[in-house]
Amino acid sequence: MNIIIVGAGEVGFHIAHKLSRENDIVIVEKKPEKIKYISEHLDVGAVLGSGSNPAVLEEAGIKSADMLIAVTDSDETNILACLVANFISPHISKASRIRNPEFIRYENLLGRSFLNIDLIINPELEAVKSILKLLEVPGASDVVDFAGELVRIIGIKVDWEQLVGIKLKDLEKKVSHKLLIVAIVRNGQLIIPTGEDKILLNDLIYVISKGEKTCHILEAFGKETKPITKVLIVGGGIVGVTLAFELEKRGIQTKIIEKNPEHCAYLVEKLEKTTVLEGNGTDLTLLREENIQELDYVITVTGEEEQNVMISLLAKALGAKRTLTRINKTSYLPIISAIGLDNIVSPALSAVSALLKHMFQKKVLSVMPLGEDLQAIEVMTTTVSNIIEKPLKKLKFPKGTIVGAIVRNKNVIIPSGETVILPEDRVVIFSTTEAIPKVEKFWR
């Protein structure tokens, strides 16, 4: 596809990074230093100027483009870019980043009835959804559902020495559950493992299992799975206030720290059951007074990732059971595990996930990025597919891919080499980002 991305911020850069291997990308950005950075780090085209300027969009190739993705920090600029694109090239598919809840309330105005925006992306709200999913599954580092929650992918940090050194082919006997490890992240490097690979301390492993077995799997890896009851949120921005509101509805005791006095007054008015504390999340005295060692989670979601990381590290040092840290800069993600943080949430990755689901919906049922270099794809087989009714071990899947699960008539199959795929099976495939084009070609 020919894709124009308006805005080279963190979200725009990450989308370009994910899509540039398989598509022709042109980025429109009005700041020269960002154009320079993009040109040095990505193999994409770049045009200097405003994405709401018709002449700039024409220079970027809007008339021959298949899709426009407007993800600047300004909702108004993004909406205007889609309006201009709709006028110049009515056939083009349009996605827009819109953060203001007041705009989102008028989704019909932005959608088919007027501006023809095909997808509205709100990274902050997508991040809240990711946080809530993690809170539903205490002990997991990452959670992704497929096939209506019949299949669940669980990211687990290995810190239980009883499992260290075990070969993957022997793991089922040790944990007494049917599971499949589809990926290992070790020292920042992604491994698509074989049965001969061993589990090492501090590995981040991705396990696929039946949804109802989640707690059993986590307990088998030495994780605590008691429901969340007490949470402290640091940062009262869009993510913080939305998360607090959702936790209130779930009956979870919630406190929120916000340093801006005026915004604290707004939070008190907005939230009914949440305790609002005025202060700085890096204040050790304040953290001690809140007895964070008694809390289930400390969630840091200010707009500054350096501060989020610092607060989470302080919370861990003071005895917090688990931390969840908002990271905006995706370049930080590979080192997060190394410095001792538990869960992370990235609005940029959440936005990419929403966009990929939209882009792939005609080809596949679902697609989900897991970290930097791993993607999970859910596809449906057809009667004319040349891979059906053949054992998996005889199918030459591209290097860097693995079939993680098959859903057949609502039954979940964790496959072996002897398993065969039948028509209308839902198949969950894991692949490195680099191998995605080969997976698509293979599946076609």
Side-chain angles (χ1 to χ4, degrees):
M1 295 176 65
N2 295 321
I3 300 173
I4 297 174
I5 299 174
V6 177
E10 195 62 36
V11 174
F13 179 88
H14 200 67
I15 289 173
H17 172 66
K18 284 288 186 183
L19 299 181
S20 59
R21 287 185 175 95
E22 305 108 50
N23 305 280
D24 293 323
I25 307 292
V26 176
I27 293 184
V28 175
E29 170 58 52
K30 62 182 180 181
K31 294 182 179 179
E33 64 272 20
K34 288 188 176 181
I35 289 287
K36 183 175 183 294
Y37 184 83
I38 284 285
S39 301
E40 291 174 349
H41 290 83
L42 295 178
D43 183 18
V44 300
V47 174
L48 180 64
S50 172
S52 60
N53 185 327
V56 172
L57 287 182
E58 286 197 338
E59 182 184 350
I62 192 69
K63 290 183 178 179
S64 59
D66 301 296
M67 188 173 193
L68 175 88
I69 304 171
V71 286
T72 74
D73 288 334
S74 166
D75 290 350
E76 290 79 5
T77 299
N78 296 336
I79 292 171
L80 187 53
C82 290
L83 180 62
V84 172
N86 195 48
F87 177 76
I88 298 176
S89 185
H91 71 279
I92 197 171
S93 176
K94 294 169 288 296
S96 176
R97 174 184 184 176
I98 298 178
R99 304 170 67 192
N100 189 334
E102 298 302 318
F103 278 132
I104 295 174
R105 281 176 55 197
Y106 296 94
E107 192 169 345
N108 289 337
L109 177 68
L110 300 172
R112 291 294 179 188
S113 60
F114 182 54
L115 291 179
N116 289 327
I117 298 177
D118 300 280
L119 176 67
I120 295 172
I121 304 171
N122 187 320
E124 287 74 18
L125 292 184
E126 294 296 331
V128 169
K129 293 177 185 177
S130 298
I131 293 173
L132 292 172
K133 178 62 72 174
L134 282 168
L135 296 186
E136 289 175 8
V137 190
S141 297
D142 206 349
V143 181
V144 178
D145 289 327
F146 286 98
E149 300 188 1
L150 289 172
V151 176
R152 175 162 281 174
I153 305 160
I154 317 165
I156 303 175
K157 180 72 174 293
V158 178
D159 51 16
W160 199 33
E161 293 189 358
Q162 292 188 34
L163 295 178
V164 173
I166 294 177
K167 289 184 178 182
L168 300 191
K169 67 180 183 180
D170 300 325
L171 188 60
E172 280 187 18
K173 297 176 184 177
K174 185 72 175 179
V175 301
S176 302
H177 291 290
K178 185 72 175 177
L179 55 79
L180 178 67
I181 294 181
V182 294
I184 299 174
V185 179
R186 179 177 298 158
N187 299 323
Q189 300 297 313
L190 175 66
I191 301 168
I192 302 297
T194 68
E196 297 297 323
D197 284 293
K198 295 180 179 180
I199 295 176
L200 301 183
L201 196 64
N202 295 320
D203 279 352
L204 173 60
I205 61 174
Y206 283 95
V207 180
I208 191 163
S209 72
K210 297 179 181 181
E212 73 270 13
K213 298 292 185 181
T214 300
C215 288
H216 300 297
I217 297 295
L218 287 167
E219 289 168 358
F221 280 87
K223 302 297 182 180
E224 190 174 296
T225 59
K226 290 191 297 187
I228 301 297
T229 59
K230 297 180 181 179
V231 169
L232 173 66
I233 302 170
V234 183
I238 294 175
V239 173
V241 68
T242 306
L243 178 60
F245 181 71
E246 292 296 327
L247 294 179
E248 282 186 349
K249 292 194 297 185
R250 288 160 171 78
I252 295 174
Q253 184 180 323
T254 306
K255 296 182 180 180
I256 188 167
I257 296 176
E258 169 58 44
K259 63 182 179 181
N260 185 310
E262 294 181 359
H263 197 61
C264 280
Y266 165 78
L267 294 175
V268 170
E269 182 180 342
K270 180 81 172 177
L271 299 168
E272 296 180 0
K273 302 176 184 177
T274 300
T275 301
V276 180
L277 306 169
E278 181 185 336
N280 195 312
T282 58
D283 185 340
L284 282 173
T285 301
L286 177 58
L287 294 177
R288 287 194 180 101
E289 288 176 350
E290 294 310 314
N291 298 315
I292 63 174
Q293 71 277 5
E294 299 178 2
L295 303 174
D296 296 307
Y297 257 101
V298 175
I299 302 174
T300 53
V301 288
T302 76
E304 303 174 19
E305 48 257 289
E306 290 84 359
Q307 187 176 52
N308 292 339
V309 170
M310 177 60 69
I311 296 168
S312 291
L313 290 174
L314 288 174
K316 291 288 286 185
L318 292 174
K321 294 177 184 176
R322 292 192 70 81
T323 60
L324 197 156
T325 311
R326 171 181 175 171
I327 301 294
N328 294 319
K329 294 180 181 177
T330 53
S331 57
Y332 285 7
L333 297 179
I335 66 169
I336 292 303
S337 179
I339 63 177
L341 297 184
D342 299 317
N343 302 123
I344 63 100
V345 63
S346 166
L349 276 179
S350 298
V352 171
S353 175
L355 181 65
L356 289 177
K357 285 181 182 179
H358 172 76
M359 291 181 64
F360 283 100
Q361 63 185 350
K362 294 179 181 178
K363 296 181 180 180
V364 300
L365 298 173
S366 188
V367 60
M368 183 70 67
L370 299 167
E372 279 288 283
D373 297 311
L374 179 67
Q375 294 193 50
I377 310 164
E378 182 184 1
V379 295
M380 178 80 80
T381 56
T382 66
T383 56
V384 297
S385 174
N386 63 355
I387 67 169
I388 62 173
E389 299 181 359
K390 298 177 183 177
L392 292 181
K393 65 182 182 181
K394 293 188 177 181
L395 297 176
K396 295 182 179 179
F397 275 91
K399 185 179 179 181
T401 67
I402 186 172
V403 175
I406 298 169
V407 180
R408 182 178 300 153
N409 299 324
K410 295 189 177 181
N411 294 315
V412 179
I413 301 168
I414 305 300
S416 67
E418 301 297 331
T419 305
V420 297
I421 297 173
L422 300 180
E424 300 187 5
D425 279 352
R426 297 162 73 111
V427 183
V428 182
I429 301 171
F430 294 82
S431 172
T432 61
T433 302
E434 184 178 3
I436 287 291
K438 295 178 183 177
V439 174
E440 290 183 342
K441 184 178 179 180
F442 175 84
W443 204 258
R444 287 197 299 269

